[in-house]
Amino acid sequence: MARKTTPEAPDRAPGGEGGLALGPEFRLTKQRREVFEVLTAQRDHPTATEVFVRVKEKVPGISLATVYNCLETLTHSGLVRQVNLDRSPSRYCPNLDEHAHFHCEACGHISDIAIADPLALDAALVLPAGSRVHRTDIAIRGHCPNCTPAAQAPQN
Amino acid sequence: MARKTTPEAPDRAPGGEGGLALGPEFRLTKQRREVFEVLTAQRDHPTATEVFVRVKEKVPGISLATVYNCLETLTHSGLVRQVNLDRSPSRYCPNLDEHAHFHCEACGHISDIAIADPLALDAALVLPAGSRVHRTDIAIRGHCPNCTPAAQAPQN
DNA sequence: GTGAATGCAAAACCTTTGCAACTGG
DNA sequence: CCAGTTGCAAAGGTTTTGCATTCAC
């Protein structure tokens, strides 16, 4: 996950419905607004194609290329995180808090995992002396509680 | 990284040069041996194409598709780990120990990061109760010591 | 008004697949 | 011997790009 909320990221939506605060260098188009709206309305880590399908209901003329463009803009603006799990299609996540992702191998569901102790996390790694960390991505694969037979589940 | 060395993974090369212990279900072909040899000779996380180029010096007739096949076989045999960083081409790593990867944004170099304390790492995450973890992938982006000006480097 | 963003189609890119020929055990 | 593997070429799926049109500011 992002080591911290990126400093360049504008604050979140101070304004009304769907309030999207892109940087001043970015135009607020209907397409960008709807792409962002889709991501925040249902925080289920959709792929670009899934976003495309959902946005088309509001903006029928939108093209997939534009969805990719919007997602890239939002990512670079720091409003959205691109989530890459292995080589599957990228997914997008409006949760800017430092967090990991849990990918259930059984049902495919992807959920956010909070980082309880970021310092402990760094401490658990043997980073080369003198290196600087910009971002840490953590992806966990396994079975989510719904897909884990109770008998097998560890008691945690 | 892999939570642990996969149980199915055969032991590493007990025999002489290039000793490759695939499962009994896999044939030991010249191509597979050389692909594995390339990975262990220079543990620099090459892409499939880079492996292809290196193996071609020993096996001129090899095709890229075969390199992909071999890498998949080796990965499934548990002898090699596929490393995916963002959406860049997959890289391959013969280090089966539990470890993370550091990707330098300046020089592009990818290095292995040891996990000092796997338990502390799990403890730092808020995993859903009743879930089972099969694998944890950790990728760190930043500047490696060589690419970090001394003035900026934290004193760790 | 004007430069940036869109939409479309085509390309690029990494990876997988189908199939005939070959080969390791 | 013969199923598994190779090599080739072609397809696949995701993402990017070129360019004319449209639009936000």
Short mmCIF file of all heavy atoms in Angstrom, two decimals, chain B residues 33-88:
data_model
loop_
_atom_site.label_atom_id
_atom_site.label_comp_id
_atom_site.label_asym_id
_atom_site.label_seq_id
_atom_site.Cartn_x
_atom_site.Cartn_y
_atom_site.Cartn_z
N ARG B 33 16.17 -27.54 -18.14
CA ARG B 33 17.41 -27.49 -17.37
C ARG B 33 18.09 -26.15 -17.58
O ARG B 33 18.55 -25.51 -16.64
CB ARG B 33 18.33 -28.64 -17.78
CG ARG B 33 19.38 -28.99 -16.73
CD ARG B 33 20.31 -30.11 -17.20
NE ARG B 33 19.60 -31.21 -17.86
CZ ARG B 33 19.80 -31.56 -19.11
NH1 ARG B 33 20.69 -30.94 -19.85
NH2 ARG B 33 19.11 -32.57 -19.64
N GLU B 34 18.15 -25.72 -18.84
CA GLU B 34 18.85 -24.46 -19.13
C GLU B 34 18.11 -23.24 -18.60
O GLU B 34 18.73 -22.27 -18.16
CB GLU B 34 19.10 -24.33 -20.64
CG GLU B 34 20.16 -25.29 -21.14
CD GLU B 34 21.52 -25.10 -20.47
OE1 GLU B 34 21.80 -23.99 -19.99
OE2 GLU B 34 22.29 -26.08 -20.40
N VAL B 35 16.80 -23.28 -18.67
CA VAL B 35 16.03 -22.16 -18.13
C VAL B 35 16.30 -22.04 -16.64
O VAL B 35 16.58 -20.94 -16.12
CB VAL B 35 14.52 -22.34 -18.39
CG1 VAL B 35 13.70 -21.38 -17.54
CG2 VAL B 35 14.21 -22.12 -19.87
N PHE B 36 16.30 -23.16 -15.96
CA PHE B 36 16.55 -23.14 -14.52
C PHE B 36 17.98 -22.70 -14.24
O PHE B 36 18.23 -21.90 -13.33
CB PHE B 36 16.30 -24.54 -13.94
CG PHE B 36 16.41 -24.59 -12.45
CD1 PHE B 36 15.47 -23.94 -11.66
CD2 PHE B 36 17.44 -25.28 -11.84
CE1 PHE B 36 15.56 -23.98 -10.27
CE2 PHE B 36 17.54 -25.33 -10.45
CZ PHE B 36 16.60 -24.68 -9.67
N GLU B 37 18.90 -23.19 -15.06
CA GLU B 37 20.31 -22.82 -14.90
C GLU B 37 20.50 -21.31 -15.03
O GLU B 37 21.21 -20.69 -14.25
CB GLU B 37 21.13 -23.56 -15.97
CG GLU B 37 22.61 -23.27 -15.94
CD GLU B 37 23.28 -23.76 -14.66
OE1 GLU B 37 22.71 -24.64 -14.00
OE2 GLU B 37 24.36 -23.25 -14.34
N VAL B 38 19.83 -20.74 -16.03
CA VAL B 38 19.93 -19.29 -16.23
C VAL B 38 19.42 -18.54 -15.00
O VAL B 38 20.02 -17.54 -14.58
CB VAL B 38 19.12 -18.88 -17.49
CG1 VAL B 38 18.71 -17.42 -17.42
CG2 VAL B 38 19.94 -19.15 -18.74
N LEU B 39 18.35 -19.03 -14.42
CA LEU B 39 17.78 -18.34 -13.26
C LEU B 39 18.69 -18.41 -12.04
O LEU B 39 18.80 -17.44 -11.29
CB LEU B 39 16.41 -18.91 -12.92
CG LEU B 39 15.30 -18.58 -13.90
CD1 LEU B 39 14.01 -19.29 -13.50
CD2 LEU B 39 15.07 -17.08 -13.98
N THR B 40 19.34 -19.55 -11.86
CA THR B 40 20.19 -19.68 -10.68
C THR B 40 21.57 -19.06 -10.90
O THR B 40 22.21 -18.62 -9.94
CB THR B 40 20.36 -21.16 -10.29
OG1 THR B 40 20.74 -21.91 -11.43
CG2 THR B 40 19.06 -21.72 -9.74
N ALA B 41 22.01 -19.01 -12.17
CA ALA B 41 23.35 -18.47 -12.45
C ALA B 41 23.41 -16.98 -12.13
O ALA B 41 24.40 -16.48 -11.62
CB ALA B 41 23.72 -18.71 -13.90
N GLN B 42 22.35 -16.28 -12.46
CA GLN B 42 22.33 -14.82 -12.28
C GLN B 42 20.99 -14.46 -11.68
O GLN B 42 20.00 -14.33 -12.38
CB GLN B 42 22.52 -14.17 -13.65
CG GLN B 42 23.08 -12.77 -13.61
CD GLN B 42 23.23 -12.21 -15.01
OE1 GLN B 42 23.44 -12.97 -15.97
NE2 GLN B 42 23.12 -10.91 -15.15
N ARG B 43 20.97 -14.29 -10.39
CA ARG B 43 19.69 -14.13 -9.70
C ARG B 43 19.23 -12.68 -9.74
O ARG B 43 19.05 -12.04 -8.72
CB ARG B 43 19.84 -14.60 -8.26
CG ARG B 43 20.30 -16.04 -8.16
CD ARG B 43 20.55 -16.45 -6.73
NE ARG B 43 20.32 -17.87 -6.58
CZ ARG B 43 19.44 -18.38 -5.71
NH1 ARG B 43 18.73 -17.59 -4.94
NH2 ARG B 43 19.30 -19.69 -5.63
N ASP B 44 19.00 -12.22 -10.94
CA ASP B 44 18.65 -10.81 -11.11
C ASP B 44 17.21 -10.61 -11.56
O ASP B 44 16.88 -9.60 -12.16
CB ASP B 44 19.62 -10.15 -12.09
CG ASP B 44 19.59 -10.81 -13.46
OD1 ASP B 44 18.98 -11.91 -13.58
OD2 ASP B 44 20.14 -10.26 -14.41
N HIS B 45 16.37 -11.60 -11.32
CA HIS B 45 14.94 -11.45 -11.63
C HIS B 45 14.70 -11.09 -13.09
O HIS B 45 14.07 -10.08 -13.38
CB HIS B 45 14.30 -10.41 -10.72
CG HIS B 45 14.52 -10.66 -9.27
ND1 HIS B 45 15.63 -10.19 -8.60
CD2 HIS B 45 13.80 -11.33 -8.36
CE1 HIS B 45 15.57 -10.55 -7.34
NE2 HIS B 45 14.47 -11.26 -7.15
N PRO B 46 15.17 -11.91 -14.01
CA PRO B 46 14.96 -11.60 -15.42
C PRO B 46 13.50 -11.84 -15.83
O PRO B 46 12.78 -12.61 -15.19
CB PRO B 46 15.87 -12.60 -16.14
CG PRO B 46 15.99 -13.76 -15.20
CD PRO B 46 15.95 -13.16 -13.82
N THR B 47 13.11 -11.16 -16.91
CA THR B 47 11.80 -11.41 -17.49
C THR B 47 11.89 -12.64 -18.39
O THR B 47 12.99 -13.13 -18.68
CB THR B 47 11.35 -10.23 -18.36
OG1 THR B 47 12.29 -10.08 -19.43
CG2 THR B 47 11.31 -8.94 -17.56
N ALA B 48 10.77 -13.12 -18.87
CA ALA B 48 10.76 -14.28 -19.75
C ALA B 48 11.62 -14.01 -20.98
O ALA B 48 12.38 -14.86 -21.43
CB ALA B 48 9.34 -14.63 -20.16
N THR B 49 11.52 -12.81 -21.51
CA THR B 49 12.29 -12.46 -22.70
C THR B 49 13.78 -12.46 -22.41
O THR B 49 14.58 -12.92 -23.23
CB THR B 49 11.85 -11.08 -23.23
OG1 THR B 49 10.45 -11.12 -23.48
CG2 THR B 49 12.58 -10.73 -24.52
N GLU B 50 14.15 -11.95 -21.24
CA GLU B 50 15.56 -11.94 -20.88
C GLU B 50 16.07 -13.37 -20.70
O GLU B 50 17.19 -13.71 -21.11
CB GLU B 50 15.77 -11.13 -19.60
CG GLU B 50 15.64 -9.63 -19.84
CD GLU B 50 15.42 -8.82 -18.57
OE1 GLU B 50 15.28 -9.43 -17.48
OE2 GLU B 50 15.37 -7.59 -18.66
N VAL B 51 15.26 -14.22 -20.10
CA VAL B 51 15.63 -15.63 -19.95
C VAL B 51 15.80 -16.24 -21.34
O VAL B 51 16.79 -16.93 -21.61
CB VAL B 51 14.55 -16.41 -19.17
CG1 VAL B 51 14.84 -17.90 -19.21
CG2 VAL B 51 14.48 -15.91 -17.73
N PHE B 52 14.88 -15.92 -22.22
CA PHE B 52 14.91 -16.42 -23.59
C PHE B 52 16.25 -16.08 -24.26
O PHE B 52 16.92 -16.95 -24.82
CB PHE B 52 13.74 -15.78 -24.35
CG PHE B 52 13.70 -16.10 -25.81
CD1 PHE B 52 13.71 -17.41 -26.26
CD2 PHE B 52 13.59 -15.07 -26.74
CE1 PHE B 52 13.63 -17.70 -27.62
CE2 PHE B 52 13.52 -15.35 -28.09
CZ PHE B 52 13.55 -16.66 -28.53
N VAL B 53 16.63 -14.82 -24.16
CA VAL B 53 17.88 -14.38 -24.78
C VAL B 53 19.08 -15.15 -24.20
O VAL B 53 19.96 -15.60 -24.94
CB VAL B 53 18.07 -12.86 -24.55
CG1 VAL B 53 19.48 -12.42 -24.94
CG2 VAL B 53 17.03 -12.09 -25.35
N ARG B 54 19.08 -15.32 -22.88
CA ARG B 54 20.22 -15.99 -22.26
C ARG B 54 20.26 -17.47 -22.59
O ARG B 54 21.32 -18.04 -22.82
CB ARG B 54 20.18 -15.80 -20.74
CG ARG B 54 20.34 -14.35 -20.33
CD ARG B 54 20.30 -14.20 -18.82
NE ARG B 54 20.02 -12.81 -18.46
CZ ARG B 54 19.78 -12.40 -17.22
NH1 ARG B 54 19.79 -13.27 -16.22
NH2 ARG B 54 19.51 -11.14 -16.97
N VAL B 55 19.10 -18.10 -22.62
CA VAL B 55 19.07 -19.53 -22.88
C VAL B 55 19.44 -19.81 -24.34
O VAL B 55 20.06 -20.83 -24.64
CB VAL B 55 17.68 -20.13 -22.55
CG1 VAL B 55 17.59 -21.57 -23.01
CG2 VAL B 55 17.41 -20.04 -21.06
N LYS B 56 19.10 -18.88 -25.21
CA LYS B 56 19.38 -19.11 -26.63
C LYS B 56 20.86 -19.32 -26.90
O LYS B 56 21.23 -19.97 -27.87
CB LYS B 56 18.86 -17.94 -27.48
CG LYS B 56 17.60 -18.31 -28.23
CD LYS B 56 17.34 -17.42 -29.43
CE LYS B 56 17.20 -15.96 -29.06
NZ LYS B 56 16.46 -15.22 -30.12
N GLU B 57 21.72 -18.77 -26.04
CA GLU B 57 23.16 -18.98 -26.24
C GLU B 57 23.54 -20.45 -26.06
O GLU B 57 24.47 -20.93 -26.69
CB GLU B 57 23.95 -18.11 -25.26
CG GLU B 57 23.76 -16.63 -25.55
CD GLU B 57 24.49 -15.75 -24.54
OE1 GLU B 57 25.29 -16.28 -23.76
OE2 GLU B 57 24.22 -14.53 -24.53
N LYS B 58 22.80 -21.12 -25.19
CA LYS B 58 23.07 -22.53 -24.95
C LYS B 58 22.20 -23.43 -25.82
O LYS B 58 22.64 -24.50 -26.25
CB LYS B 58 22.79 -22.88 -23.47
CG LYS B 58 23.77 -22.27 -22.48
CD LYS B 58 25.10 -22.99 -22.50
CE LYS B 58 25.88 -22.73 -21.22
NZ LYS B 58 25.22 -23.34 -20.03
N VAL B 59 20.99 -23.01 -26.05
CA VAL B 59 20.04 -23.79 -26.83
C VAL B 59 19.47 -22.88 -27.92
O VAL B 59 18.38 -22.33 -27.78
CB VAL B 59 18.88 -24.31 -25.94
CG1 VAL B 59 18.01 -25.28 -26.71
CG2 VAL B 59 19.40 -24.94 -24.66
N PRO B 60 20.23 -22.71 -29.00
CA PRO B 60 19.87 -21.70 -30.01
C PRO B 60 18.46 -21.87 -30.57
O PRO B 60 17.82 -20.90 -30.94
CB PRO B 60 20.92 -21.91 -31.10
CG PRO B 60 22.06 -22.57 -30.41
CD PRO B 60 21.44 -23.44 -29.36
N GLY B 61 17.99 -23.10 -30.62
CA GLY B 61 16.70 -23.32 -31.26
C GLY B 61 15.49 -23.06 -30.38
O GLY B 61 14.36 -23.16 -30.85
N ILE B 62 15.72 -22.72 -29.14
CA ILE B 62 14.58 -22.60 -28.22
C ILE B 62 13.66 -21.46 -28.65
O ILE B 62 14.11 -20.46 -29.21
CB ILE B 62 15.06 -22.40 -26.76
CG1 ILE B 62 13.93 -22.75 -25.79
CG2 ILE B 62 15.57 -20.99 -26.57
CD1 ILE B 62 14.35 -22.80 -24.33
N SER B 63 12.37 -21.65 -28.38
CA SER B 63 11.40 -20.60 -28.72
C SER B 63 10.93 -19.92 -27.45
O SER B 63 11.00 -20.47 -26.35
CB SER B 63 10.22 -21.20 -29.46
OG SER B 63 9.43 -21.95 -28.57
N LEU B 64 10.44 -18.71 -27.61
CA LEU B 64 9.95 -17.95 -26.46
C LEU B 64 8.80 -18.67 -25.78
O LEU B 64 8.70 -18.70 -24.55
CB LEU B 64 9.53 -16.55 -26.91
CG LEU B 64 8.99 -15.62 -25.83
CD1 LEU B 64 9.97 -15.45 -24.69
CD2 LEU B 64 8.65 -14.26 -26.44
N ALA B 65 7.95 -19.30 -26.60
CA ALA B 65 6.81 -20.03 -26.02
C ALA B 65 7.31 -21.14 -25.10
O ALA B 65 6.73 -21.39 -24.05
CB ALA B 65 5.94 -20.61 -27.14
N THR B 66 8.39 -21.78 -25.49
CA THR B 66 8.94 -22.84 -24.66
C THR B 66 9.50 -22.27 -23.36
O THR B 66 9.35 -22.87 -22.30
CB THR B 66 10.03 -23.61 -25.43
OG1 THR B 66 9.41 -24.26 -26.54
CG2 THR B 66 10.70 -24.64 -24.55
N VAL B 67 10.12 -21.11 -23.46
CA VAL B 67 10.61 -20.47 -22.24
C VAL B 67 9.43 -20.22 -21.30
O VAL B 67 9.50 -20.51 -20.10
CB VAL B 67 11.35 -19.16 -22.55
CG1 VAL B 67 11.66 -18.38 -21.27
CG2 VAL B 67 12.64 -19.46 -23.30
N TYR B 68 8.35 -19.71 -21.84
CA TYR B 68 7.16 -19.49 -21.01
C TYR B 68 6.67 -20.80 -20.42
O TYR B 68 6.32 -20.88 -19.25
CB TYR B 68 6.04 -18.82 -21.82
CG TYR B 68 6.11 -17.32 -21.84
CD1 TYR B 68 6.55 -16.64 -22.97
CD2 TYR B 68 5.75 -16.57 -20.73
CE1 TYR B 68 6.62 -15.25 -22.99
CE2 TYR B 68 5.80 -15.18 -20.75
CZ TYR B 68 6.24 -14.53 -21.88
OH TYR B 68 6.31 -13.16 -21.90
N ASN B 69 6.65 -21.83 -21.24
CA ASN B 69 6.21 -23.14 -20.74
C ASN B 69 7.12 -23.63 -19.62
O ASN B 69 6.63 -24.10 -18.58
CB ASN B 69 6.22 -24.17 -21.87
CG ASN B 69 5.04 -24.00 -22.81
OD1 ASN B 69 4.03 -23.41 -22.45
ND2 ASN B 69 5.18 -24.51 -24.03
N CYS B 70 8.39 -23.52 -19.84
CA CYS B 70 9.35 -23.99 -18.82
C CYS B 70 9.19 -23.21 -17.52
O CYS B 70 9.19 -23.79 -16.43
CB CYS B 70 10.78 -23.84 -19.33
SG CYS B 70 11.18 -24.92 -20.71
N LEU B 71 9.05 -21.90 -17.66
CA LEU B 71 8.91 -21.07 -16.47
C LEU B 71 7.64 -21.45 -15.71
O LEU B 71 7.63 -21.49 -14.47
CB LEU B 71 8.90 -19.59 -16.85
CG LEU B 71 10.25 -19.06 -17.34
CD1 LEU B 71 10.10 -17.67 -17.95
CD2 LEU B 71 11.27 -19.04 -16.21
N GLU B 72 6.60 -21.75 -16.46
CA GLU B 72 5.36 -22.14 -15.79
C GLU B 72 5.54 -23.49 -15.08
O GLU B 72 5.10 -23.67 -13.95
CB GLU B 72 4.21 -22.22 -16.80
CG GLU B 72 2.87 -22.42 -16.10
CD GLU B 72 1.74 -22.68 -17.08
OE1 GLU B 72 1.97 -22.57 -18.31
OE2 GLU B 72 0.63 -23.00 -16.62
N THR B 73 6.19 -24.41 -15.76
CA THR B 73 6.43 -25.72 -15.16
C THR B 73 7.27 -25.59 -13.89
O THR B 73 6.95 -26.17 -12.85
CB THR B 73 7.16 -26.64 -16.15
OG1 THR B 73 6.38 -26.75 -17.33
CG2 THR B 73 7.40 -28.02 -15.56
N LEU B 74 8.33 -24.80 -13.98
CA LEU B 74 9.21 -24.61 -12.82
C LEU B 74 8.45 -23.93 -11.69
O LEU B 74 8.63 -24.28 -10.51
CB LEU B 74 10.43 -23.77 -13.22
CG LEU B 74 11.41 -24.46 -14.17
CD1 LEU B 74 12.40 -23.46 -14.75
CD2 LEU B 74 12.15 -25.58 -13.45
N THR B 75 7.61 -22.99 -12.04
CA THR B 75 6.83 -22.30 -11.01
C THR B 75 5.88 -23.28 -10.34
O THR B 75 5.78 -23.32 -9.11
CB THR B 75 6.04 -21.14 -11.64
OG1 THR B 75 6.95 -20.22 -12.23
CG2 THR B 75 5.21 -20.41 -10.58
N HIS B 76 5.19 -24.09 -11.17
CA HIS B 76 4.26 -25.05 -10.59
C HIS B 76 4.96 -26.16 -9.82
O HIS B 76 4.39 -26.76 -8.92
CB HIS B 76 3.34 -25.62 -11.67
CG HIS B 76 2.30 -24.65 -12.10
ND1 HIS B 76 1.78 -24.60 -13.37
CD2 HIS B 76 1.69 -23.64 -11.41
CE1 HIS B 76 0.89 -23.61 -13.44
NE2 HIS B 76 0.83 -23.02 -12.28
N SER B 77 6.19 -26.44 -10.21
CA SER B 77 6.96 -27.44 -9.47
C SER B 77 7.47 -26.88 -8.15
O SER B 77 7.99 -27.62 -7.32
CB SER B 77 8.16 -27.90 -10.29
OG SER B 77 7.73 -28.49 -11.50
N GLY B 78 7.35 -25.59 -7.99
CA GLY B 78 7.79 -24.96 -6.76
C GLY B 78 9.27 -24.65 -6.71
O GLY B 78 9.82 -24.39 -5.65
N LEU B 79 9.92 -24.66 -7.87
CA LEU B 79 11.36 -24.40 -7.90
C LEU B 79 11.67 -22.94 -8.17
O LEU B 79 12.80 -22.50 -8.00
CB LEU B 79 12.02 -25.25 -8.99
CG LEU B 79 12.00 -26.75 -8.73
CD1 LEU B 79 12.35 -27.51 -9.99
CD2 LEU B 79 12.98 -27.08 -7.61
N VAL B 80 10.68 -22.23 -8.61
CA VAL B 80 10.87 -20.85 -9.04
C VAL B 80 9.64 -20.05 -8.62
O VAL B 80 8.54 -20.59 -8.56
CB VAL B 80 11.04 -20.82 -10.59
CG1 VAL B 80 10.78 -19.44 -11.14
CG2 VAL B 80 12.42 -21.31 -10.98
N ARG B 81 9.88 -18.79 -8.33
CA ARG B 81 8.76 -17.92 -8.00
C ARG B 81 8.56 -16.90 -9.10
O ARG B 81 9.51 -16.31 -9.60
CB ARG B 81 9.08 -17.14 -6.71
CG ARG B 81 8.13 -17.43 -5.59
CD ARG B 81 8.54 -16.63 -4.38
NE ARG B 81 7.96 -15.31 -4.34
CZ ARG B 81 8.27 -14.40 -3.44
NH1 ARG B 81 9.19 -14.65 -2.53
NH2 ARG B 81 7.68 -13.23 -3.44
N GLN B 82 7.31 -16.70 -9.48
CA GLN B 82 7.00 -15.66 -10.44
C GLN B 82 6.80 -14.37 -9.65
O GLN B 82 6.07 -14.36 -8.67
CB GLN B 82 5.71 -16.02 -11.20
CG GLN B 82 5.39 -15.09 -12.34
CD GLN B 82 4.05 -15.41 -12.97
OE1 GLN B 82 3.04 -15.52 -12.28
NE2 GLN B 82 4.02 -15.58 -14.29
N VAL B 83 7.44 -13.31 -10.10
CA VAL B 83 7.37 -12.04 -9.38
C VAL B 83 6.68 -11.01 -10.25
O VAL B 83 7.16 -10.69 -11.35
CB VAL B 83 8.79 -11.54 -9.02
CG1 VAL B 83 8.71 -10.20 -8.30
CG2 VAL B 83 9.51 -12.57 -8.18
N ASN B 84 5.55 -10.51 -9.79
CA ASN B 84 4.81 -9.52 -10.56
C ASN B 84 4.84 -8.18 -9.86
O ASN B 84 4.35 -8.05 -8.74
CB ASN B 84 3.36 -9.98 -10.72
CG ASN B 84 3.26 -11.21 -11.59
OD1 ASN B 84 3.74 -11.22 -12.72
ND2 ASN B 84 2.67 -12.28 -11.06
N LEU B 85 5.41 -7.21 -10.52
CA LEU B 85 5.47 -5.85 -9.98
C LEU B 85 4.61 -4.97 -10.86
O LEU B 85 4.90 -4.78 -12.04
CB LEU B 85 6.90 -5.35 -9.96
CG LEU B 85 7.87 -6.20 -9.11
CD1 LEU B 85 9.30 -5.75 -9.33
CD2 LEU B 85 7.50 -6.10 -7.64
N ASP B 86 3.55 -4.45 -10.29
CA ASP B 86 2.62 -3.65 -11.07
C ASP B 86 2.26 -4.40 -12.34
O ASP B 86 2.04 -5.59 -12.29
CB ASP B 86 3.20 -2.26 -11.35
CG ASP B 86 3.44 -1.49 -10.05
OD1 ASP B 86 2.59 -1.55 -9.17
OD2 ASP B 86 4.49 -0.86 -9.95
N ARG B 87 2.24 -3.73 -13.46
CA ARG B 87 1.84 -4.43 -14.68
C ARG B 87 3.02 -4.70 -15.61
O ARG B 87 2.84 -5.01 -16.78
CB ARG B 87 0.75 -3.64 -15.44
CG ARG B 87 -0.51 -3.45 -14.62
CD ARG B 87 -1.71 -3.42 -15.49
NE ARG B 87 -1.94 -4.69 -16.14
CZ ARG B 87 -2.37 -5.81 -15.52
NH1 ARG B 87 -2.57 -5.80 -14.24
NH2 ARG B 87 -2.55 -6.90 -16.19
N SER B 88 4.19 -4.59 -15.09
CA SER B 88 5.34 -4.88 -15.92
C SER B 88 5.44 -6.39 -16.15
O SER B 88 4.81 -7.17 -15.45
CB SER B 88 6.60 -4.35 -15.25
OG SER B 88 6.76 -4.95 -13.99
#
